[in-house]
Amino acid sequence: MIAPMTESLVLAQDLVRHYTLPRTSLLRPAPVVQALRGVSFRLEAGRNLGIVGESGSGKSTLARLVMALERPTSGRLEVLGRDLATLSPAALRAARRDFQMVFQDPYGSLDPRHRVERIVAEPLLAQGHDDAAVRRERVRDALEAVGLRASDADKYPHEFSGGQRQRIAIARALVTRPRLIVADEPVSALDVSVQAQVLNLMLDLQQRFGVTYLFISHDLAVVDHVCHDILVMRHGEVVEQGSPEVLFRDARHAYTRELLQAAGGS
């Protein structure tokens, strides 16, 4: 019997993203930065994909495209079977319940003026959930799922440590019960002692809720802990891809070997 194909949560084909910079001379055309140069990949449900590369490699640009925060210059990008670039604003807003994002900085990504309940409920409010009691229950469930207390909903971000703030950010991403979470350097701003706790939490949440991660990082050791497959990017291009076992044992590209050495690998 032929096994059914695994569902694609993200399918990228020849993604290109250019940015036009301000002109520096009336006699010269505006300079163009090529952030992505023909990136293709497939993210399957249940198989976390790590995007690895140094600053400026195009990782965060790719994350913004997947989240439909920007549109590609060319190429095709489908998220959960939909080309997000073709959706109306209302349809895109409705689609966002299925994919959420965790940002790098747990200090800057949480509004210090709001209580945790309002912060975690933000995606529900954007989806038009008008029932305050339902929102409150969903927020408290999400907080408890990430190892915080329901009573923490009444506190402000400054009352928490960095690791706890990132748990709040994960709860906010989890509150719509998405199928995909894009995590952009979610532990790089945390102490090393806290990083493993957050990564293990994310794996636990995957087992409990069936979420899949697109995990952005500059650190191969971090994605090795979380991801089933790795995409290595440099200067907006994919230079190598494969499972952590293959890349760690038999990296073909010199840049991948440089990243392994930086992570303490062979």
Side-chain angles (χ1 to χ4, degrees):
M1 179 182 294
I2 299 176
M5 288 188 62
T6 306
E7 180 187 9
S8 292
L9 295 186
V10 181
L11 183 61
Q13 298 175 317
D14 297 319
L15 287 182
V16 173
R17 184 66 169 102
H18 294 166
Y19 297 98
T20 302
L21 302 180
R23 294 180 61 155
T24 58
S25 171
L26 293 176
L27 303 179
R28 297 178 182 176
V32 174
V33 174
Q34 298 180 348
L36 295 178
R37 310 172 184 228
V39 173
S40 299
F41 68 91
R42 181 173 181 251
L43 170 59
E44 299 177 354
R47 291 189 62 84
N48 302 331
L49 176 64
I51 310 293
V52 177
E54 62 190 355
S55 178
S57 62
K59 310 184 305 295
S60 292
T61 297
L62 186 58
R64 290 193 295 270
L65 294 188
V66 173
M67 289 300 301
L69 300 176
E70 298 180 8
R71 292 190 176 190
T73 303
S74 63
R76 183 175 179 84
L77 177 63
E78 293 184 1
V79 179
L80 284 82
R82 294 166 288 195
D83 184 348
L84 301 183
T86 66
L87 299 182
S88 67
L92 178 59
R93 191 179 309 112
R96 287 190 187 280
R97 70 170 60 93
D98 292 324
F99 57 95
Q100 294 290 325
M101 190 166 187
V102 176
F103 296 92
Q104 175 179 359
D105 184 4
Y107 297 91
S109 65
L110 306 180
D111 192 328
R113 300 169 299 176
H114 292 151
R115 296 181 189 271
V116 167
E117 181 173 335
R118 171 63 176 76
I119 291 170
V120 176
E122 184 177 356
L124 296 176
L125 292 168
Q127 292 292 325
H129 285 262
D130 297 327
D131 191 321
V134 171
R135 287 201 310 270
R136 192 173 300 112
E137 181 179 359
R138 292 278 289 272
V139 167
R140 280 158 169 71
D141 287 346
L143 289 174
E144 290 178 346
V146 300
L148 297 174
R149 295 172 298 183
S151 59
D152 288 331
D154 297 323
K155 298 179 180 179
Y156 288 91
H158 73 268
E159 300 180 66
F160 299 89
S161 67
Q164 289 172 324
R165 292 185 193 192
Q166 199 61 304
R167 288 173 183 263
I168 294 169
I170 294 171
R172 177 175 58 187
L174 197 66
V175 76
T176 63
R177 299 167 186 170
R179 300 181 60 198
L180 169 67
I181 290 180
V182 178
D184 189 0
E185 299 273 13
V187 298
S188 64
L190 304 177
D191 292 339
V192 174
S193 60
V194 180
Q195 288 184 6
Q197 297 175 19
V198 174
L199 293 175
N200 288 333
L201 168 66
M202 295 177 73
L203 290 175
D204 178 62
L205 294 174
Q206 180 172 40
Q207 292 296 317
R208 293 170 61 188
F209 299 104
V211 66
T212 301
Y213 298 109
L214 179 64
F215 201 98
I216 310 293
S217 180
H218 66 280
D219 190 336
L220 270 172
V222 168
V223 296
D224 178 45
H225 191 76
V226 176
C227 298
H228 303 87
D229 303 289
I230 298 176
L231 219 65
V232 183
M233 293 186 63
R234 189 184 192 194
H235 302 322
E237 298 178 322
V238 176
V239 298
E240 193 162 5
Q241 63 186 99
S243 68
E245 295 81 4
V246 171
L247 291 185
F248 274 61
R249 184 182 68 248
D250 188 26
R252 301 299 179 88
H253 198 278
Y255 178 63
T256 307
R257 294 195 291 271
E258 289 177 16
L259 292 177
L260 283 169
Q261 290 175 356
S266 58

